[in-house]
């Protein structure tokens, strides 16, 4: 995943929104672990709600961006650790809360089992787990231009899901967490609005173009797309962005569970 300055800035504006559903379950003295934190924008928002917030990610590049974000705030309760989410470098019952944002959706069955087992291990009995993840079946798009639909399909191809239900992961979070030893206590959904006004539509188009151009060579290399498809997808987003009535609401399903 790419974490250039423009993408990080976009995510930074969304950090508080992404964590809002978990806020009622947090308290000032809690220790929280944000697993798969990426550039740390959500971790920084969570740090304002708890006593200590630690973000972990296996990739050093986004962690460098995370530390740059944290530096100006001089927050003493915020830190980042390079680590594998399936082998966390923390003791048992070390945290009061664990958070996943747009992470579990990408896991195959074996990795998902290991990841949730580690989350359960480091969480205290009675501790809270918050998850927020994608569900493409809930996305709202208008107009449904062929090029934009193709772009969304190309991103789905990139993840190479073997399980057709994976694209609707979000709505199944409660049952998945229950199957892995957690007790769900709340479920909901929200939308990332990429079309509130002309500026946000332009930002969405620019972000889509960066993503498609960045993934393009890899999609071609893996024979997951053709040059013609990538060009059609780019043209579709350009046309979408020129429509003053265009909307794109991206669905995010949310779940809160407790460790028994």
């Amino acid at each position: 995943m790419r974490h250039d300055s423009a993408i990080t800035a976009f995510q930074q504006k969304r950090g508080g929104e992404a964590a809002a559903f978990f806020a009622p379950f947090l308290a000032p003295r809690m220790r929280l672990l944000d697993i798969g934190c990426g550039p740390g924008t959500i971790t920084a928002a969570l740090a304002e709600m708890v006593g200590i917030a630690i973000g972990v990610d296996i990739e050093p590049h986004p962690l460098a961006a995370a530390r740059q974000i944290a530096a100006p705030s001089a927050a003493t309760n915020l830190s980042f650790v390079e680590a594998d989410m399936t082998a966390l470098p923390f003791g048992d019952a070390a945290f009061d809360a664990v958070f996943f944002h747009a992470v579990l959706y990408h896991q195959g069955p074996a990795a998902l089992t290991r990841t949730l087992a580690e989350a359960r291990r480091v969480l205290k009995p009675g501790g809270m787990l918050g998850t927020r993840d994608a569900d493409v079946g809930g996305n709202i798009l208008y107009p449904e231009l062929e090029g934009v639909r193709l772009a969304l399909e190309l991103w789905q191809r990139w993840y190479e899901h073997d399980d057709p239900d994976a694209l609707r992961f979000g709505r199944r979070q409660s049952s998945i967490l229950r199957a892995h030893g957690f007790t769900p206590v709340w479920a909901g959904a929200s939308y990332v609005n990429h079309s509130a006004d002309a500026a946000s539509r332009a930002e969405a188009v620019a972000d889509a173009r960066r993503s498609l151009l960045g993934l393009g060579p890899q999609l071609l290399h893996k024979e997951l797309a053709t040059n013609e498809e990538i060009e059609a997808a780019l043209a579709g987003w350009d046309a979408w962005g020129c429509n003053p009535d265009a909307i794109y609401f991206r669905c995010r399903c949310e779940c809160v569970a407790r460790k028994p």
Side-chain angles (χ1 to χ4, degrees):
M1 183 177 293
R2 299 164 62 248
H3 290 285
D4 63 26
S5 59
I7 293 175
T8 298
F10 176 79
Q11 292 170 326
Q12 196 163 10
K13 288 185 285 186
R14 303 283 185 182
E17 297 174 16
F21 78 96
F22 203 32
F25 301 91
L26 301 177
R29 293 185 180 179
M30 283 185 168
R31 285 175 52 88
L32 179 144
L33 182 66
D34 182 12
I35 300 179
C37 67
T41 53
I42 298 173
T43 323
L46 288 164
E48 298 177 3
M49 309 175 198
V50 298
I52 294 175
I54 300 173
V56 299
D57 203 284
I58 198 170
E59 297 291 340
H61 183 58
L63 285 179
R67 294 184 178 107
Q68 287 180 348
I69 290 170
S73 69
T76 58
N77 70 329
L78 174 63
S79 61
F80 297 95
V81 176
E82 185 177 335
D84 184 340
M85 67 181 69
T86 65
L88 295 168
F90 305 106
D92 296 353
F95 294 93
D96 302 287
V98 170
F99 190 74
F100 290 98
H101 184 271
V103 171
L104 300 179
Y105 163 77
H106 301 296
Q107 306 292 313
L112 178 65
T113 295
R114 293 195 301 270
T115 296
L116 288 175
E118 274 294 89
R120 194 169 186 272
R121 179 184 67 78
V122 302
L123 194 58
K124 294 178 180 179
M128 306 306 297
L129 176 77
T131 64
R132 186 173 191 252
D133 229 315
D135 194 304
V136 299
N139 292 341
I140 298 175
L141 177 69
Y142 176 83
E144 295 192 22
L145 300 176
E146 184 60 33
V148 178
R149 293 179 66 84
L150 175 59
L152 300 179
E153 182 184 335
L154 293 180
W155 288 320
Q156 292 168 26
R157 290 181 199 174
W158 173 249
Y159 293 124
E160 296 181 305
H161 291 304
D162 295 323
D163 180 2
D165 288 336
L167 297 176
R168 289 171 171 79
F169 182 91
R171 69 188 66 185
R172 298 185 293 116
Q173 288 176 104
S174 180
S175 63
I176 290 169
L177 294 178
R178 192 182 302 279
H180 286 84
F182 296 93
T183 303
V185 298
W186 182 90
S190 59
Y191 284 89
V192 180
N193 185 355
H194 295 284
S195 51
D197 50 31
S200 60
R201 279 190 292 273
E203 187 175 45
V205 172
D207 187 56
R209 289 186 64 85
R210 278 192 298 267
S211 178
L212 285 166
L213 292 171
L215 281 178
Q218 299 169 76
L219 287 166
L220 294 171
H221 177 70
K222 292 193 173 187
E223 299 184 346
L224 296 173
T226 65
N227 275 314
E228 291 75 17
E229 286 179 316
I230 294 170
E231 289 300 324
L234 291 167
W237 275 110
D238 289 340
W240 178 90
C242 291
N243 186 327
D245 300 316
I247 61 168
Y248 178 33
F249 304 147
R250 194 156 47 119
C251 182
R252 289 291 181 265
C253 295
E254 300 151 349
C255 187
V256 178
R258 179 180 287 111
K259 175 180 174 178

